[in-house]
Amino acid sequence: SGTSQYATQISVKKSILYGRMRPVYFYIVGTPSTVIEVSDCEIMNVNAPATGNVVWGVLLNTYDGTINFFRNKLNSLRSVSAATNGVYGFGTLSGKVTSLIRIFNNFFGGDIQHTGTGVPASVDVISFQDNVIAKVYNNTIVFNEFPNKASGRMSAVRLGGTGNLELKNNIIYTLKNNPNVYGMRYDGGTLVSNNNLFYNVGDSANVGYWTTPQQTLAAWQTASTQDAASIYKNVTFTGTTNLHLFGASLIDTD
């Protein structure tokens, strides 16, 4: 009933959620004192929408309060657009300054596919482009290979706008080997990042972007002054969408 009426007390738990454009879409939700939870869910877009549509796995649009997103799997996203529409796994728009998003212990990416004739403007696995306040801890975030590429950025994590992001203890892994692929893309706001594991498969992708592309972890650390205790190391996953560690990686203390 208008933008002044916020939905609150939302819990989505232990569910399999399918959608063509936005399997999870929260529009006008939360107040400064309320908590929203999405946990233990499998979220997927396995049937692409018609051409001309942006694809989101989870979109928060005009939100407030605390939003907890944990122990979820958001692996599969599909686009067949013939236009420039982007693809985004978890994204935010128009957050209130009193909001807090906590994202922890999730699997993101691994099965993102764009098979349309169009060239997307951007593809992000996690995309913050507002005044978000977010804490992103203990997630595995994979930007996988797919045939098409974006005209702009392709990022595992992207921070834009005037947001405030803490990015800690994550595995940030890029399988697409292209010069405009970034593990962490910084375009504005405040970033505190450390104790992460980065890895790029191939010699063209970048660990990060800070004013310019930073191909190596050392270059990213120097440009951003972040991730002093982070490491660059390959890991082995159980499968394409089963992002539990496997084999020697399972007992690797790094």
Side-chain angles (χ1 to χ4, degrees):
S1 60
T3 57
S4 63
Q5 186 67 45
Y6 278 62
T8 61
Q9 310 301 327
I10 301 169
S11 293
V12 183
K13 303 178 181 180
K14 299 181 179 179
S15 301
I16 299 176
L17 306 171
Y18 295 91
R20 299 194 70 185
M21 274 174 42
R22 295 181 286 260
V24 176
Y25 183 33
F26 287 163
Y27 178 53
I28 313 178
V29 297
T31 62
S33 61
T34 60
V35 178
I36 289 171
E37 178 179 323
V38 180
S39 61
D40 298 295
C41 292
E42 187 172 354
I43 301 165
M44 65 186 76
N45 156 282
V46 292
N47 293 307
T51 185
N53 289 292
V54 177
V55 171
W56 303 86
V58 175
L59 176 58
L60 309 180
N61 186 351
T62 314
Y63 59 91
D64 205 346
T66 298
I67 299 173
N68 293 323
F69 187 88
F70 60 96
R71 292 198 306 265
N72 300 290
K73 297 177 182 179
L74 199 172
N75 301 121
S76 300
L77 299 170
R78 297 288 185 272
S79 177
V80 295
S81 182
T84 60
N85 312 98
V87 180
Y88 310 99
F90 186 107
T92 60
L93 298 169
S94 302
K96 303 299 182 183
V97 295
T98 46
S99 66
L100 170 64
I101 300 175
R102 298 191 292 196
I103 300 172
F104 55 95
N105 296 348
N106 302 284
F107 290 160
F108 290 101
D111 187 28
I112 300 169
Q113 300 296 332
H114 189 296
T115 56
T117 58
V119 179
S122 53
V123 179
D124 301 320
V125 184
I126 297 178
S127 187
F128 301 120
Q129 50 189 332
D130 55 355
N131 61 350
V132 68
I133 300 173
K135 298 181 184 296
V136 178
Y137 299 160
N138 305 326
N139 304 281
T140 298
I141 306 160
V142 175
F143 195 110
N144 59 272
E145 174 61 74
F146 52 88
N148 291 352
K149 63 181 181 180
S151 59
R153 68 181 187 269
M154 295 183 284
S155 311
V157 183
R158 189 251 180 171
L159 174 64
T162 57
N164 187 316
L165 170 62
E166 288 188 13
L167 184 72
K168 296 181 178 180
N169 301 320
N170 302 282
I171 295 174
I172 300 173
Y173 199 91
T174 61
L175 284 163
K176 193 166 185 65
N177 189 27
N178 192 274
N180 60 349
V181 171
Y182 310 97
M184 172 65 219
R185 168 101 188 191
Y186 172 83
D187 288 318
T190 300
L191 174 66
V192 177
S193 183
N194 210 1
N195 298 107
N196 299 295
L197 183 149
F198 293 91
Y199 192 75
N200 300 330
V201 175
D203 57 3
S204 292
N206 303 278
V207 167
Y209 180 96
W210 190 285
T211 307
T212 58
Q214 310 298 327
Q215 191 169 42
T216 66
L217 177 59
W220 165 254
Q221 289 167 327
T222 298
S224 67
T225 69
Q226 301 293 317
D227 286 292
S230 294
I231 61 173
Y232 184 86
K233 188 173 188 177
N234 198 1
V235 297
T236 302
F237 300 117
T238 301
T240 300
T241 58
N242 183 348
L243 301 179
H244 289 99
L245 295 176
F246 181 76
S249 293
L250 193 60
I251 56 173
D252 189 338
T253 55
D254 282 337

